Amino acid sequence: MSGTLSDTRPRIAILISGSGTNLQAFIDRAGSGELAADIGIVFSNRPDAYGLKRATRAGIPVSCLEHGHYADREHFDRAVAERLDAGRPDLIVLAGFMRILSPWFVHRYEGRILNIHPALLPLYPGLDTHQRVLDAGDSRHGSTVHFVTEELDGGPRVLAGRIRVMPHETAAELMQRVQAVEHRIYPEAARWFVEGRLQFRDGSAWLDGEKLDEPIVRDFD
Ligand code: GRF
């Protein structure tokens, strides 16, 4: 999976800012052959992101640029793209990348960027989703893989993983269970993409030639 990149296997670039448990799920699936793709580069906007260690341990090239050193969002994004393009990525996977992307970046890779958001979109875009779910007294929660467009957490949804909220559960406990779901659904959606089954066309997500008006939903309880 790492070290020497194949000329034929699809290439994934993964962008992180933190712990990288989702990145780890990709590393594991690519390592086991379940995800037939090479992770060509892991990029972080934070030098202390633990995910960089995970990538290095797996022999994946890493790159880091700090956004604070750039005049504005687009200048930063252009520098990031330069790093990513060196590895000719087919797919960009945002895995806890805590930066809003500029329209320039989104258009540069239109239809080739996936994100995972820890909520059942369109519910709860933005931050603190677990606490907001608890505050609202919702009985279901989960996470959603979607294509990235200019609208924050608003691009076409692909795959959602759903769990039941337990009585007296804390936001931290909920987060842990949601993340376990993410580690299942995110590599799966990426696999669909690299296998050519999942596409972004006319502003919508398409799976196996069918337009997804709603995401595929998997229940994990
Ligand atoms: C995930 O929960 C994901 O939904 C959100 O950021 C978190 C990243 O976690 N976008 P990790 O760095 O993959 O552990």
Side-chain angles (χ1 to χ4, degrees):
M1 178 249 340
S2 54
T4 47
L5 291 178
S6 136
D7 272 341
T8 49
R9 273 153 70 95
R11 295 170 183 219
I12 303 179
I14 302 188
L15 275 55
I16 61 166
S17 298
S19 156
T21 64
N22 279 283
L23 163 66
Q24 188 65 53
F26 275 82
I27 292 172
D28 295 345
R29 296 305 195 296
S32 73
E34 229 175 294
L35 177 65
D38 290 322
I39 304 171
I41 186 169
V42 169
F43 175 86
S44 172
N45 64 322
R46 298 209 180 121
D48 59 349
Y50 183 69
L52 289 174
K53 290 202 173 64
R54 296 179 191 273
T56 303
R57 211 158 50 209
I60 300 168
V62 297
S63 178
C64 179
L65 296 171
E66 291 184 71
H67 54 264
H69 298 162
Y70 292 81
D72 58 31
R73 202 174 286 285
E74 187 174 315
H75 275 91
F76 175 68
D77 283 0
R78 283 179 183 269
V80 175
E82 208 169 293
R83 297 286 177 101
L84 303 184
D85 287 348
R88 291 183 281 115
D90 298 292
L91 173 66
I92 313 278
V93 164
L94 307 182
F97 186 59
M98 299 304 283
R99 291 278 304 164
I100 294 174
L101 297 168
S102 61
W104 178 84
F105 190 95
V106 172
H107 290 131
R108 169 92 184 73
Y109 301 104
E110 190 180 58
R112 290 194 286 147
I113 314 175
L114 290 176
N115 183 40
I116 191 158
H117 180 73
L120 295 173
L121 290 171
L123 298 174
Y124 309 112
L127 298 174
D128 292 328
T129 56
H130 311 297
Q131 190 58 53
R132 287 156 70 200
V133 163
L134 291 177
D135 292 346
D138 293 356
S139 60
R140 310 304 292 266
H141 184 33
S143 193
T144 312
V145 179
H146 65 95
F147 278 109
V148 171
T149 60
E150 278 190 48
E151 189 189 341
L152 182 68
D153 300 327
R157 293 165 293 149
V158 173
L159 178 59
R162 201 161 54 170
I163 56 171
R164 247 173 245 286
V165 180
M166 310 278 212
H168 314 301
E169 197 166 20
T170 65
E173 289 164 341
L174 199 48
M175 181 184 89
Q176 271 212 328
R177 289 202 301 127
V178 167
Q179 285 205 332
V181 167
E182 295 185 330
H183 303 157
R184 307 274 296 276
I185 63 172
Y186 207 2
E188 182 175 9
R191 182 162 60 82
W192 292 343
F193 186 92
V194 299
E195 288 175 353
R197 295 175 56 193
L198 174 66
Q199 286 162 344
F200 177 90
R201 218 165 59 224
D202 307 326
S204 298
W206 297 71
L207 182 64
D208 296 330
E210 305 244 341
K211 189 171 159 194
L212 294 177
D213 290 319
E214 293 293 328
I216 306 290
V217 178
R218 297 230 193 289
D219 281 313
F220 287 86
D221 48 27

